[in-house]
Amino acid sequence: EAGVTQFPSHSVIEKGQTVTLRCDPISGHDNLYWYRRVMGKEIKFLLHFVKESKQDESGMPNNRFLAERTGGTYSTLKVQPAELEDSGVYFCASGNDRLITGGNTIYFGEGSWLTVV
Amino acid sequence: GEDVEQSLFLSVREGDSSVINCTYTDSSSTYLYWYKQEPGAGLQLLTYIFSNMDMKQDQRLTVLLNKKDKHLSLRIADTQTGDSAIYFCADYGDYKLSFGAGTTVTVRA
């Protein structure tokens, strides 16, 4: 069974440009999460989808970030326009419980490493 | 899950034990986790402990939980060079994981 896959694995863009990150969850997982880690800081929650609906987007930093999950399968996270402080690694995770009772059922991807110059 | 804090760096000699400490604030956390991130790689779930347990052992890994003090630790016995990585403590609450900043463990020969 394929794990959570993310694309691109690495991206270097200039300030002001747009980047779109993609996440393919494990097949059949209703829950999809985006997290971010900027250098040396904690891994911070961005948002949580249940199927195509945004369950919790309290961690989204500002309106330059837009997440979508049309059809409840893969998800995209767009940053437009990118700023220097957006650099970091963006993790996607998925889980298969309707009501996840513990994080042991949440599986992470390898991350998309974004550098804004 | 709310604030999760851990020390940032740990240097240990190969063959010694490593102890990584973590404190958390959310008393309602049902599970607490340790994740490992090797250089250039993703997050790997190492182990987890249910909040009504004090200790869990899994091969070279021992997790200790002091729920009263909201303190979690991870002990790695016989630390090897392959254990060099960033270790993240996390708790689960409000349907999401909350992570600490990570402890970078460096294993020296």
Side-chain angles (χ1 to χ4, degrees):
Chain A
E1 180 181 344
V4 177
T5 56
Q6 295 187 241
F7 182 83
S9 58
H10 292 81
S11 181
V12 180
I13 63 171
E14 292 184 351
K15 176 182 170 181
Q17 288 186 321
T18 297
V19 64
T20 300
L21 310 177
R22 173 173 168 142
C23 170
D24 286 77
I26 294 171
S27 178
H29 281 192
D30 289 341
N31 293 273
L32 187 149
Y33 301 80
W34 283 100
Y35 285 82
R36 173 174 78 166
R37 184 177 192 238
V38 297
M39 184 63 69
K41 302 290 188 181
E42 72 272 22
I43 300 170
K44 295 197 81 169
F45 168 81
L46 296 179
L47 88 162
H48 171 204
F49 283 101
V50 177
K51 296 186 180 178
E52 66 273 13
S53 299
K54 291 175 184 174
Q55 182 77 14
D56 180 353
E57 52 184 330
S58 60
M60 294 289 264
N62 52 60
N63 60 8
R64 295 186 294 104
F65 289 75
L66 175 65
E68 294 180 319
R69 193 184 182 195
T70 307
T73 54
Y74 72 91
S75 174
T76 58
L77 178 65
K78 180 192 287 188
V79 185
Q80 178 182 29
E83 298 289 344
L84 299 179
E85 64 264 25
D86 300 332
S87 296
V89 57
Y90 291 75
F91 290 106
C92 178
S94 73
N96 62 349
D97 291 346
R98 180 174 296 276
L99 286 177
I100 289 181
T101 55
N104 55 302
T105 57
I106 299 175
Y107 303 89
F108 281 82
E110 298 280 301
S112 287
W113 302 71
L114 174 65
T115 303
V116 183
V117 297
Chain B
E2 297 290 332
D3 291 338
V4 178
E5 294 190 359
Q6 49 186 127
S7 54
L8 294 182
F9 301 99
L10 176 67
S11 177
V12 62
R13 195 187 309 265
E14 189 175 9
D16 288 351
S17 292
S18 309
V19 179
I20 308 167
N21 294 300
C22 168
T23 57
Y24 61 99
T25 58
D26 188 353
S27 58
S28 67
S29 297
T30 52
Y31 290 92
L32 295 126
Y33 304 86
W34 285 103
Y35 283 82
K36 176 183 181 183
Q37 185 185 19
E38 295 180 13
L43 285 172
Q44 172 195 355
L45 176 63
L46 270 184
T47 186
Y48 64 94
I49 188 168
F50 189 50
S51 59
N52 68 354
M53 296 171 65
D54 298 323
M55 185 182 84
K56 179 179 179 180
Q57 187 144 5
D58 183 1
Q59 299 181 331
R60 293 191 297 122
L61 305 178
T62 303
V63 179
L64 294 177
L65 175 61
N66 181 328
K67 197 173 181 182
K68 173 177 169 289
D69 295 337
K70 300 189 185 68
H71 182 267
L72 182 74
S73 68
L74 174 69
R75 178 178 180 268
I76 306 172
D78 186 25
T79 310
Q80 303 298 308
T81 54
D83 296 323
S84 292
I86 305 174
Y87 291 80
F88 293 93
C89 169
D91 72 352
Y92 185 82
D94 198 20
Y95 301 107
K96 57 182 176 282
L97 291 165
S98 295
F99 289 88
T103 299
T104 299
V105 174
T106 303
V107 182
R108 60 187 193 277

